[in-house]
Amino acid sequence: SPTSLVVAFVDVDRLKLVNDTAGHAAGDSLLRAVAQALLTGLRPYDSVMRYGGDEFVCVLPGVSLPHARERIREVQELLAAAAPGRRMSVGLVLHRAAEDVDQVIARADADLYARRRAAGP
C-alpha cells in the first residue's frame, strides 16, 4: 500500500574475517560491493544508509513485505555476481505507526538474527 514502509536491516556476513585475513582494503571493497548491490537492486527512491561497521539500513516506502523480500533477493543475487562467495544477512519488517526509529531497527535486527539462525551455519 502507498502508506506502508518496510525497513531492511542488512549485515555483511564475515566482514571481520575478511578484514583479519585479507586486510582492510578487501573489507572496504566488500562494503562497496554491498552498497552498490543495494543501490542497484533497490528502487531509486528507496533509502540506503550505512548504519555501523558492517551494517546498512534500507527504507522502502510503499511496498509490501513480500515485494520487499523479492527486491532483497535480487540484491543478494547482484552481490553474489559482484563478490562471489560473499553474503549478507537481511531482516525485514513492516514499520508500525507508533514505532520510533530505534524500535523498528531493533525489530529488523531481530528478524535478521532469527533468519540467520534458521538458515544454519
Side-chain angles (χ1 to χ4, degrees):
S1 95
T3 58
S4 68
L5 187 76
V6 172
V7 174
F9 191 80
V10 178
D11 183 77
V12 180
D13 294 351
R14 297 181 174 88
L15 179 64
K16 182 179 180 340
L17 181 63
V18 171
N19 283 334
D20 291 348
T21 60
H24 287 274
D28 290 347
S29 179
L30 175 55
L31 285 170
R32 282 193 299 278
V34 170
Q36 188 58 53
L38 289 166
L39 292 169
T40 301
L42 298 179
R43 303 165 301 177
Y45 50 88
D46 293 330
S47 297
V48 176
M49 297 154 277
R50 180 127 177 241
Y51 186 72
D54 62 350
E55 299 160 339
F56 293 83
V57 171
C58 307
V59 179
L60 294 75
V63 68
S64 68
L65 209 47
H67 186 250
R69 285 192 208 295
E70 181 56 36
R71 302 292 327 154
I72 291 297
R73 270 193 291 279
E74 291 175 23
V75 168
Q76 288 171 320
E77 290 171 11
L78 288 167
L79 178 62
R86 302 299 179 203
R87 298 177 43 101
M88 60 184 197
S89 297
V90 182
L92 289 171
V93 295
L94 197 58
H95 178 261
R96 297 176 184 151
E99 252 176 342
D100 67 25
V101 172
D102 291 333
Q103 290 169 320
V104 73
I105 290 173
R107 280 197 313 115
D109 186 34
D111 184 63
L112 178 152
Y113 283 99
R115 290 178 180 285
R116 190 179 274 165
R117 275 192 308 275

